[in-house]
Amino acid sequence: MVQFYSPNRRSVNPGIISVTADNLDAQGQGIARHQGKTIFIPGLLPGEQAQIQLTEEKRQFAKAKVVKRLSDSPFRVEPRCPHFKVCGGCQQQHVATELQAKTKAGVLEHLIQRETGVSISAEPIIHSPEYGYRRRARLGLQYQVKQRKLLLGFRQSQTNDLVDVKHCPVMHPELEKLLQPLSQCLNSLKAVKRLGHVELVLANNSPIVVLRHLDPIKHEDREALRIFSEQYKVAIYLAGDEKSLELLSFGALFPGSLSPEHLAEGQSEPWYQVGGLKLVFSPRDFIQVNDEVNQQMVAQALSWLDLQPEDRVLDLFCGMGNFTLPIATKVQAVVGVEGVAALVASGQYNARLNGLNNISFFHENLESDIHQQPWAAQGFNKVLLDPARAGAAGVMSHIVKLAPEKVVYVSCNPTTLARDSKVLLEAGYHLVSVRMLDMFPHTGHLESMALFCRERMTIE
């Protein structure tokens, strides 16, 4: 008889053990030690004692669940969301936000020190409102045949099932109040079984609903959606099959070229403000989820760059110009480089809209050979980059070649930030300042930004 052995998971002792958590990780899990092994325990806070049961054990660490909590931390708070512990969207509403942010800052500091050898504080933290901060959310739709009901909500933790969300306190109140009436509206549609998902977006001039549907929406359903739009003063957009859904993020949303179909007549294009400027965007364009942190982040980046009228600035992974346009108001010239054509088109439109004629946008793949790209031959004395989670490995050596005075790196992944930082440090740059951005309270997401200078200096 052949026996198979799996080295990935060890058998777990079913016995109950008592531990006291001494730390918290970025995901909100308590960290305890028992017999020399680190144990990660969801729901347990530093200083709390509990009886736990191991659920998974490996050579270096173990995971466990709380059987009985024996004490409470002063940082334990009552979650505001009725779906907490079921919904997979937020994991840390039981943790006071000041401990959440401080823990993430500590994780960032530890990672940078481990990877680069540089010890630096990630404070002061750029803080967010505790609740009501999300101006964008994507919700799944799932039709239950037996109950004859469409669920609207987020995935349950570690499953594909949806939580039928009635309230979501991390959403901006203008979006949260749409959840129940929108669910009722969608449940009334003839096409209720053939809907994909919904995106809610809050522009400065209107809430937006983007409805993904699998079959053409017929007249009766269109009228129901039109009535909903008028009643709740919401702009509704339809996204059809997979092809049109993909095109949605490429179609420039400007008067006369709306994509997808704009149901409510007389609506102006959606826009938001940053740095005193108006940025028009398509409902499917990427915009920062947390408006208040975005405003602080842009202001901090401009302050760190110490922009002067004679500066030439390079903005890599520039999107639709969230940083590019505010930078342009203070310098001689700025160049934005972005890999998504629709975002480049949005940036160009917004530059014209705001009367900024010192911006050049380039649509280029920053993962390919950038040395042959037209922007790469230009000179810049300051650089900002805001890459996706994969980081900016392909451009770091070129940034060094440009030899800018200052580099501001905005990151949504501390691991790739630490990796890319080493290229600058090895080239003689100094890591002058780091900030933790509390972009997504109650979640494990960690955003940050770092300032590198060619000359050693201090930031007050």
Side-chain angles (χ1 to χ4, degrees), residues 74 93 111 186 243 312 371 446 458:
Q93 286 194 24
L111 185 58
L186 297 181
K243 183 177 181 180
R312 288 183 50 81
H371 301 291
L446 197 168
T458 58

Side-chain angles (χ1 to χ4, degrees), residues 18 29 61 89 119 252 264 330 363 375 398 415:
S18 293
Q29 299 180 109
F61 66 91
S119 296
K330 300 179 180 297
H363 173 217
W375 63 268
H398 191 76
T415 301

Side-chain angles (χ1 to χ4, degrees), residues 18 58 192 212:
S18 293
K58 295 189 177 182
V192 63
R212 164 83 166 91

